[in-house]
């Protein structure tokens, strides 16, 4: 997928920051989509990393990775995945404290 193809998809259906789940049940956190020159980068984190750092009482930073959409399958992964929530509770990954 090229950067232009990805940006066309992004304009039609903008991605939101949050958790996405693919058809195999794999969950990833979409942190950001950045345009650098003519290249588009998807900044994301694994479910394990996101769960460890996105809880309200956690102190520390989120370890993310950025990948250029050109020539990688990360863009295809997010395009085919379903948005499941903007935080760990909304996504059903952690039960809210009672």
């Amino acid at each position: 997928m090229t950067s232009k193809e990805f940006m066309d998809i992004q304009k039609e259906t903008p991605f939101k920051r949050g958790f996405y789940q693919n058809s195999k049940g794999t969950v990833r956190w979409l942190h950001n989509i950045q345009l650098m020159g003519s290249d588009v980068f998807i900044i994301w984190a694994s479910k394990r990393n996101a769960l460890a750092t996105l809880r309200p009482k956690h102190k520390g930073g989120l370890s993310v990775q950025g990948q250029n959409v050109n020539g990688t399958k990360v863009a295809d992964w997010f395009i085919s995945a379903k948005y499941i929530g903007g935080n760990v509770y909304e996504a059903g990954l952690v039960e809210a404290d009672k």
Side-chain angles (χ1 to χ4, degrees), residues 18-29:
F19 288 99
Y20 286 78
Q21 182 172 9
N22 71 1
S23 61
K24 295 179 183 173
T26 304
V27 174
R28 291 180 178 170
W29 168 261

Side-chain angles (χ1 to χ4, degrees), residues 6 9-21 27-34 41-45 54 62 74-75 77-79 81-87 90-91:
F6 181 78
I9 292 167
Q10 168 75 0
K11 284 177 190 170
E12 272 183 44
T13 314
F15 291 93
K16 297 186 262 187
R17 179 182 289 201
F19 288 99
Y20 286 78
Q21 182 172 9
V27 174
R28 291 180 178 170
W29 168 261
L30 176 64
H31 186 67
N32 199 4
I33 296 172
Q34 269 184 315
F41 287 84
I42 293 179
I43 316 299
W44 64 280
L54 294 175
L62 177 66
V74 71
W77 191 96
F78 280 103
I79 289 166
K82 177 183 166 199
Y83 178 79
I84 58 173
N87 61 51
E90 216 179 89

Side-chain angles (χ1 to χ4, degrees), residues 51-85:
L51 282 176
T53 58
L54 294 175
R55 295 184 187 193
K57 295 178 184 174
H58 182 273
K59 292 184 174 89
L62 177 66
S63 177
V64 296
Q65 55 186 323
Q67 290 181 294
N68 189 327
V69 300
N70 286 335
T72 65
K73 296 195 187 257
V74 71
D76 295 333
W77 191 96
F78 280 103
I79 289 166
S80 64
K82 177 183 166 199
Y83 178 79
I84 58 173

